[in-house]
Each structure stands twice: as structure tokens, then as C-alpha cells.
Amino acid sequence: MMDLQFSGEDHDCTMLCAASCTEALDLIAKADEIDAAILDVSLGAGSTCLPVARKLENLSIPYILHSGDLDRHDETIRTLNAKLVAKPYPAEKVIAAAIECVVNDDC
């Protein structure tokens, strides 16, 4: 997560980082503006990013999935309308994919 944060800051992005769905949902509720999000599918202890993805979709905020274990999750995750950037992938390229997602409306 820190690599993504630092890379985003290097690209002049304001990064909001969360380690759980609860934290992410709180950040979304409090943020004035969110241009895009990068979500890891697996959050540990069997938890996934699904609640956050659904909230972002409801708010029309684009997001990408950055995951190394998409195959281990149920079909619900596969139905998310998001670009997948598989792990491992350099942080600067993940950030570039998120920026491209916003600029080109390509999520």
C-alpha cells in the first residue's frame, strides 16, 4: 500500500489510504472529491472489497482492481465492472492505469 501511496503522490495525486472496508467507506463518506480508486480484492480474513466497489459504483466513481488472487474469490467479484491490474505490477504503472481510467474514461 505504501508503494502505491508514494507513487500516487509522485504523480501529484492526493491519496486516501484504507486497510479495511470500514475505513474505506468512512473515507468515501468524508471526502469532498474522489476521482478514482484502486481496490485490492482480498482484504484478509475472507473479506473482499465488494462493499467498497458497490459504494463507488453507486457514486459513479471509477475504480480499478489490483489483485493477485482474483481466482480465489466467488463469481460476484468477477461481475464488478472494473479494469483488473494483476499483481505483481509496479506501483507507478498501477497509478498510471488509475489516471488513464479517469482521463480516458476507461475503467
Side-chain angles (χ1 to χ4, degrees):
M1 183 164 59
M2 294 297 289
D3 288 348
L4 288 174
Q5 181 177 353
F6 293 148
S7 184
E9 290 168 355
D10 288 346
H11 284 85
D12 294 323
C13 299
T14 300
M15 304 296 290
L16 305 174
C17 300
S20 70
C21 284
T22 301
E23 286 180 39
L25 293 169
D26 286 346
L27 284 173
I28 292 167
K30 294 175 185 174
D32 291 330
E33 180 180 354
I34 298 174
D35 294 318
I38 300 167
L39 304 179
D40 193 341
V41 172
S42 179
L43 302 175
S47 180
T48 69
C49 68
L50 188 59
V52 177
R54 294 292 186 221
K55 181 66 174 179
L56 293 169
E57 288 174 354
N58 288 338
L59 296 172
S60 299
I61 297 171
Y63 62 92
I64 62 174
L65 298 173
H66 182 48
S67 181
D69 61 354
L70 189 62
D71 290 335
R72 289 191 254 172
H73 295 288
D74 65 35
E75 291 299 315
T76 306
I77 293 294
R78 295 175 190 281
T79 66
L80 295 174
N81 187 22
K83 182 181 215 175
L84 173 64
V85 178
K87 289 181 180 178
Y89 208 66
E92 62 273 1
K93 291 190 178 189
V94 177
I95 296 298
I99 291 170
E100 180 180 319
C101 177
V102 173
V103 172
N104 296 328
D105 195 26
D106 182 33
C107 291

